[in-house]
Amino acid sequence: MYDVNKMKSNIEAAVSIAELEVKNEFISVFNEIYVENKVPLTLDDLFQVSIIKLEKLEHIESIISGAGFYIILTDFNLADNPCELTKEESIKAIYRGECSTVKKRIKSHLFNSEYKKSYEERKRKYLAQEKNNGKEFYEQFWPACLKLGNGTNGIDIDGTEYNGNNWYVVVHNMKNSSQAVRVQAELAFDNCFNKPVASRENT
């Protein structure tokens, strides 16, 4: 007689072991890249990590379109930020996340008005095509984005409130990864540097 409860427990235990191994591998790599909790000026191509300064919307074109893990850093003043990763003394990580479409996700966080506008435009065009009659728009929409100050989901860093500050995104290219793998990168980051103040998975 087989014991399905034991089978279930065995699978869960195996998954937990695999997750811990992946997390520890990320911890090792993060410690190798971000020595003394600092983003280096240059990075070895081996790591497949990019550092992009964002000022205008077109700057996001330098960000990969596919899967990855990303970190948003700024000198915008946020109190009680426990994260210890910095680029320069005043430029600190305030958010870390993962996505299968990093460029669009960054746009939703930092150029939110344009993100919503372009999303609705793509949706309108899709639904207007006769071949799509009766079909739902396929693209995911992110209502929950980076929150600062007034608590609104998403900001516009090219607007008057934020364009006087420096904004950077560090992107780890994780082509062909799964969300389960990228989530371990998030947990590893928190283990190494503490969770950034604006990373709130429950909001």
Side-chain angles (χ1 to χ4, degrees):
M1 181 67 179
Y2 51 78
D3 185 340
V4 294
N5 288 323
K6 184 178 179 181
M7 291 174 177
K8 178 184 176 184
S9 295
N10 288 343
I11 289 174
E12 289 174 345
V15 169
S16 294
I17 291 170
E19 287 177 340
L20 182 59
E21 289 176 351
V22 172
K23 177 183 171 183
N24 285 337
E25 189 169 345
F26 277 125
I27 288 173
S28 177
V29 172
F30 288 163
N31 285 330
E32 184 178 355
I33 295 173
Y34 305 112
V35 178
E36 297 182 349
N37 300 341
K38 293 190 180 298
V39 176
L41 294 176
T42 58
L43 286 162
D44 192 314
D45 290 342
L46 176 67
F47 291 119
Q48 297 188 65
V49 180
S50 303
I51 305 171
I52 303 104
K53 184 172 184 179
L54 299 175
E55 295 176 309
K56 301 176 182 179
L57 179 61
E58 53 262 36
H59 293 163
I60 68 168
E61 294 306 316
S62 299
I63 298 173
I64 60 169
S65 298
F69 169 77
Y70 61 91
I71 309 157
I72 298 174
L73 304 99
T74 183
D75 54 5
F76 182 82
N77 187 24
L78 285 172
D80 303 320
N81 183 5
C83 187
E84 297 176 353
L85 183 68
T86 61
K87 186 179 184 300
E88 299 165 20
E89 186 175 348
S90 61
I91 298 175
K92 199 170 187 179
I94 62 165
Y95 192 96
R96 58 95 186 104
E98 60 79 23
C99 192
S100 60
T101 53
V102 172
K103 183 187 295 185
K104 285 181 181 176
R105 190 59 171 131
I106 296 296
K107 188 176 182 180
S108 76
H109 287 308
L110 302 181
F111 298 94
N112 188 258
S113 295
E114 183 59 35
Y115 164 70
K116 289 187 286 190
K117 178 182 174 183
S118 59
Y119 177 89
E120 290 301 324
E121 181 64 15
R122 289 192 298 275
K123 182 178 180 180
R124 184 191 65 77
K125 288 181 178 179
Y126 177 86
L127 297 177
Q129 295 181 44
E130 188 175 343
K131 66 178 181 179
N132 296 325
N133 186 32
K135 296 180 181 178
E136 291 188 9
F137 187 47
Y138 61 90
E139 185 181 323
Q140 178 183 2
F141 177 76
W142 293 292
C145 301
L146 176 74
K147 290 183 180 180
L148 300 179
N150 61 12
T152 302
N153 274 295
I155 63 173
D156 296 319
I157 64 169
D158 53 352
T160 55
E161 187 173 0
Y162 301 108
N163 65 5
N165 295 101
N166 292 292
W167 297 88
Y168 290 86
V169 179
V170 176
V171 180
H172 290 246
N173 188 335
M174 295 187 180
K175 183 180 180 181
N176 298 325
S177 65
S178 66
Q179 185 176 38
V181 168
R182 298 190 302 270
V183 165
Q184 294 308 311
E186 291 185 310
L187 298 175
F189 181 93
D190 296 349
N191 185 280
C192 292
F193 313 111
N194 297 323
K195 183 186 289 188
V197 63
S199 288
R200 308 181 185 98
E201 282 74 15
N202 59 344
T203 58

